[in-house]
Amino acid sequence: MISSPGILPDSASVVIVGGGVIGVSAAFHMAEAGVHDVVLIERGELGSGSTSRAAGGVRAQFSDPINIALAKRSLDAYVDFARRPGADIGLRQVGYLFLLTTEQDVAMFSRNIRLQNQLGVPSRLLSAEEAHRLCPLVDVSDVVAAAYSPDDGHATPEAVVDGYARGARDHGAKLITGSSIVSIDVRGGEIVAVRTTHGVIRTGTVICAAGAWSRAVGDMVGVELDVTPMRRQLIFTGPVEDMPDRLPMTIDFSTGLYFHQEGPGLLIGMSDPNAPPGFATAYDDGWVPMIAEAIANRAPRLLSAGVRSGWAGLYEMTPDHNALIGEAESPSRFLYATGFSGHGFLQAPAVGEVLRDLYLRRHPLVDVAGLSARRYSEDTARVELSII
């Protein structure tokens, strides 16, 4: 059920569009820093978009140094989440295990691991036998090597959203649900107001954290946010016999099949290369034979667990699989953080800090200049290779 919007304030120092994990992280970090009159607008419930349907993985194993830095800082924040802002998020640092079946992938991951190690991530290359000891559910007969970092793992997205939301409210932020952005007023190159379905808020700053719906928000102010929604589906299995106590998040890199423990069973996901772009989020059983084939090839014993349920959500894809984070040249004070291509949840704590610093005109602790939306027009796109 969508909650009522309550009393819409007449004005705000900043309006955040989108109440997923990026938006509530930004609201918390800004309000905690003393920014007055922070207002977040969410058309549904907090976290009801992509965040509530995320797999919950948290990792620092990336190929791009900016992603590694954002993810490592976010992992540290998730470890400290019980203290700040103060919530149990079900964090399990069981590691991420990438199974590699080609020498080319091994070479790529070896390069990535060297970079990750330089940036303080304890990732390493494992043999197929070592990988099987960590995850005895998989068949490693064709695995050449595996990449692993013990600090990675998974957490509960809804608990993270709730924790940041409570922290933001405790510091004075207003989180308005059940209200949609209709337009943004710009005069003389400056933002002056946000129009919603429940009234007008005077403001000089807007932060777009609208995820898969960000392109439309950018269009309101003439800023191109090259984000394409893509459906991704998950299934949940019944109980799995002889489940290891510490099962890593396991990824068959060649197919994109991944799974982690969820109660007595598993959460299993895999991208569908035939899925058309769009906002459809209805679960489609027609996807099951494709993922069943991948499971049969990599972890055949899981087929006996059966499918308990499934759901679909949206990735917010960019052309180079890297996020768009920055501030527009015009209009002034239009900030954005979107297009995470599947790794928004795991980077949310650090991205909230970055947005806070950009708003306060401070140099962010992680330099995200390379993630500006202008990189496409300037032909400086940067490709993230470690995408699931």
Side-chain angles (χ1 to χ4, degrees), residues 203-215:
T203 187
T205 302
V206 169
I207 296 177
C208 176
W213 298 267
S214 293
R215 186 186 293 268

Side-chain angles (χ1 to χ4, degrees), residues 21 51-52 54-58 78 81 87-92 153-163 260-262 311 345:
V21 69
T51 302
S52 64
V58 290
Y78 280 141
F81 209 91
D88 179 4
I89 59 171
L91 177 65
R92 298 199 66 203
H154 52 89
T156 305
E158 296 88 344
V160 172
V161 169
D162 184 63
H260 70 65
Q261 184 176 359
E262 189 79 9
W311 68 32
F345 173 69

Side-chain angles (χ1 to χ4, degrees), residues 173-246:
K174 296 179 177 66
L175 278 54
I176 309 296
T177 58
S179 187
S180 299
I181 301 295
V182 175
S183 63
I184 300 171
D185 292 352
V186 178
R187 295 177 193 159
E190 295 183 353
I191 293 170
V192 295
V194 169
R195 297 182 180 272
T196 79
T197 51
H198 291 86
V200 179
I201 306 173
R202 298 189 310 277
T203 187
T205 302
V206 169
I207 296 177
C208 176
W213 298 267
S214 293
R215 186 186 293 268
V217 178
D219 288 346
M220 292 179 186
V221 295
V223 174
E224 183 177 4
L225 297 176
D226 196 349
V227 176
T228 301
M230 295 292 294
R231 184 174 65 174
R232 293 290 185 265
Q233 300 194 117
L234 303 173
I235 58 174
F236 298 86
T237 75
V240 174
E241 293 184 6
D242 301 322
M243 179 86 76
D245 292 334
R246 290 181 55 83

Side-chain angles (χ1 to χ4, degrees), residues 16-377:
I16 300 169
V17 182
V21 69
I22 299 294
V24 294
S25 174
F28 167 74
H29 285 97
M30 295 180 75
E32 182 194 45
V35 178
H36 298 293
D37 301 324
V38 175
V39 174
L40 180 148
I41 303 293
E42 164 56 42
R43 66 182 180 180
E45 296 283 2
L46 296 178
S48 61
S50 298
T51 302
S52 64
R53 297 175 181 270
V58 290
R59 62 176 168 117
Q61 292 187 75
F62 285 95
S63 66
D64 188 292
I66 300 179
N67 286 332
I68 296 169
L70 288 172
K72 185 177 184 302
R73 187 164 184 85
S74 294
L75 271 172
D76 292 342
Y78 280 141
V79 170
D80 194 40
F81 209 91
R83 182 189 68 83
R84 172 180 173 267
D88 179 4
I89 59 171
L91 177 65
R92 298 199 66 203
Q93 288 183 281
V94 292
Y96 255 64
L97 181 69
F98 287 89
L99 304 175
L100 312 174
T101 56
T102 71
E103 293 292 350
Q104 293 87 343
D105 286 343
V106 173
M108 180 186 74
F109 271 81
S110 296
R111 291 192 297 272
N112 295 348
I113 287 171
R114 287 194 291 272
L115 177 59
Q116 292 158 13
N117 293 168
Q118 291 169 9
L119 296 175
V121 177
S123 52
R124 62 185 187 271
L125 209 62
L126 304 180
S127 68
E129 292 74 19
E130 290 172 315
H132 188 260
R133 284 197 290 270
L134 286 172
C135 183
L137 302 178
V138 296
D139 177 357
V140 296
S141 58
D142 62 339
V143 171
V144 180
Y148 175 71
S149 180
D151 287 355
D152 299 341
H154 52 89
T156 305
E158 296 88 344
V160 172
V161 169
D162 184 63
Y164 273 142
R166 290 177 184 273
R169 290 189 177 108
D170 288 345
H171 287 289
K174 296 179 177 66
L175 278 54
I176 309 296
T177 58
S179 187
S180 299
I181 301 295
V182 175
S183 63
I184 300 171
D185 292 352
V186 178
R187 295 177 193 159
E190 295 183 353
I191 293 170
V192 295
V194 169
R195 297 182 180 272
T196 79
T197 51
H198 291 86
V200 179
I201 306 173
R202 298 189 310 277
T203 187
T205 302
V206 169
I207 296 177
C208 176
W213 298 267
S214 293
R215 186 186 293 268
V217 178
D219 288 346
M220 292 179 186
V221 295
V223 174
E224 183 177 4
L225 297 176
D226 196 349
V227 176
T228 301
M230 295 292 294
R231 184 174 65 174
R232 293 290 185 265
Q233 300 194 117
L234 303 173
I235 58 174
F236 298 86
T237 75
V240 174
E241 293 184 6
D242 301 322
M243 179 86 76
D245 292 334
R246 290 181 55 83
L247 183 74
M249 174 75 135
T250 303
I251 303 97
D252 183 24
F253 189 67
S254 64
T255 63
L257 174 74
Y258 63 86
F259 58 83
H260 70 65
Q261 184 176 359
E262 189 79 9
L266 295 173
L267 175 156
I268 306 180
M270 181 178 168
S271 63
D272 181 356
N274 300 315
F279 291 98
T281 55
Y283 178 74
D284 181 6
D285 282 334
W287 167 76
V288 172
M290 183 188 72
I291 194 170
E293 181 181 0
I295 294 170
N297 290 331
R298 180 56 58 206
R301 58 181 288 194
L302 299 184
L303 294 175
S304 62
V307 176
R308 178 167 50 87
S309 62
W311 68 32
L314 295 175
Y315 270 18
E316 47 190 275
M317 302 299 293
T318 63
D320 59 4
H321 301 159
N322 262 314
L324 308 176
I325 306 174
E327 180 171 357
E329 293 180 341
S330 178
S332 64
R333 302 270 74 185
F334 180 77
L335 284 68
Y336 50 85
T338 184
F340 289 92
S341 302
H343 46 269
F345 173 69
L346 66 91
Q347 293 185 348
V351 171
E353 292 181 321
V354 167
L355 290 169
R356 172 201 65 199
D357 293 342
L358 290 175
Y359 173 78
L360 295 173
R361 302 186 190 279
R362 304 191 308 212
H363 187 72
L365 292 170
V366 177
D367 185 355
V368 296
L371 299 183
S372 166
R374 295 187 294 274
R375 68 182 183 268
Y376 301 123
S377 61

